[in-house]
Amino acid sequence: GESVGLHLPTLSVQEGDNSIINCAYSNSASDYFIWYKQESGKGPQFIIDIRSNMDKRQGQRVTVLLNKTVKHLSLQIAATQPGDSAVYFCAERVTGNQFYFGTGTSLTVIP
Amino acid sequence: NAGVTQTPKFQVLKTGQSMTLQCAQDMNHEYMSWYRQDPGMGLRLIHYSVGAGITDQGEVPNGYNVSRSTTEDFPLRLLSAAPSQTSVYFCASLGQGNYGYTFGSGTRLTVV
């Protein structure tokens, strides 16, 4: 089946720096993508989404970029804070309400 | 709104025992699903339901049963627990026009 993968399993950044987390997807027909944040011991939380007819979407301190040519997603976090330390993973909608989830990148913010 | 509520948060079972993981949502969402999360793997879909009385299998359904008698509740049953079912289980729901899942806080299950 289709799968979503991440380039790096771990990422460490200094507090205040920008973070970039990458995701590769394989289904060119996927029309909708979501980034989730999962803190230790908690369920995943929706951060930001993007439809396939867009290439960029901004939220509060977060930006998602979509490159359909190379089937790549990225999540940019500006001015990373200690509270941003978590596992981040992307999800692609492959059909209806069905999503495939990536394995996740663990972000550690160094004070 | 409480969102999606899962119980219990932790459970230890012996091989062969049965149990039910509870999931309830108060958002009137039609779509509900169960995922398992294992180290190094993404969330994998076990079973899902598009509404009361309707359920279907996901990617890894073996060893699990579900039912959906009401919109609010979607329990997951393990009939005869196996060590391979040691995992963290998440219930999620999705409403009309809401494109992102709302997840519960998870149940950490250990089968010994």
Side-chain angles (χ1 to χ4, degrees), chain B residues 23-57:
Chain B
C23 176
Q25 53 91 9
D26 60 359
M27 298 170 286
N28 203 32
H29 286 175
E30 290 296 326
Y31 183 89
M32 296 185 74
S33 55
W34 277 101
Y35 288 88
R36 60 178 289 173
Q37 187 176 44
D38 301 296
M41 305 184 77
L43 291 162
R44 292 185 292 167
L45 181 64
I46 304 171
H47 285 284
Y48 65 97
S49 169
V50 298
I54 306 169
T55 63
D56 208 343
Q57 296 180 350

Side-chain angles (χ1 to χ4, degrees), chain B residues 10-102:
Chain B
F10 301 94
Q11 183 70 51
V12 179
L13 287 178
K14 293 183 179 179
T15 297
Q17 285 185 318
S18 62
M19 80 159 295
T20 300
L21 279 61
Q22 301 291 344
C23 176
Q25 53 91 9
D26 60 359
M27 298 170 286
N28 203 32
H29 286 175
E30 290 296 326
Y31 183 89
M32 296 185 74
S33 55
W34 277 101
Y35 288 88
R36 60 178 289 173
Q37 187 176 44
D38 301 296
M41 305 184 77
L43 291 162
R44 292 185 292 167
L45 181 64
I46 304 171
H47 285 284
Y48 65 97
S49 169
V50 298
I54 306 169
T55 63
D56 208 343
Q57 296 180 350
E59 181 185 355
V60 288
N62 292 341
Y64 308 95
N65 281 348
V66 292
S67 60
R68 185 91 181 271
S69 56
T70 66
T71 299
E72 293 78 21
D73 299 299
F74 190 43
L76 178 71
R77 297 184 186 85
L78 283 72
L79 299 179
S80 180
S84 61
Q85 294 178 304
T86 294
S87 187
V88 181
Y89 292 84
F90 288 100
C91 180
S93 72
L94 184 68
Q96 286 284 350
N98 180 349
Y99 296 101
Y101 287 143
T102 299

Side-chain angles (χ1 to χ4, degrees), chain A residues 2 4 32 34 36 38 40-46 49 51 87 89 91 93 96-104, chain B residues 9 31 35 37 40-45 48 50 57-59 90 94 98-106 108:
Chain A
E2 300 289 343
V4 178
Y32 178 67
I34 302 175
Y36 286 92
Q38 186 175 19
S40 180
K42 296 184 179 179
Q45 282 184 294
F46 175 99
D49 60 356
R51 296 184 180 277
V87 173
F89 54 88
R93 182 168 68 188
N97 295 316
Q98 305 264 358
F99 285 80
Y100 281 106
F101 294 86
T103 54
Chain B
K9 294 187 76 66
Y31 183 89
Y35 288 88
Q37 187 176 44
M41 305 184 77
L43 291 162
R44 292 185 292 167
L45 181 64
Y48 65 97
V50 298
Q57 296 180 350
E59 181 185 355
F90 288 100
L94 184 68
N98 180 349
Y99 296 101
Y101 287 143
T102 299
F103 283 89
S105 57
R108 183 173 294 275

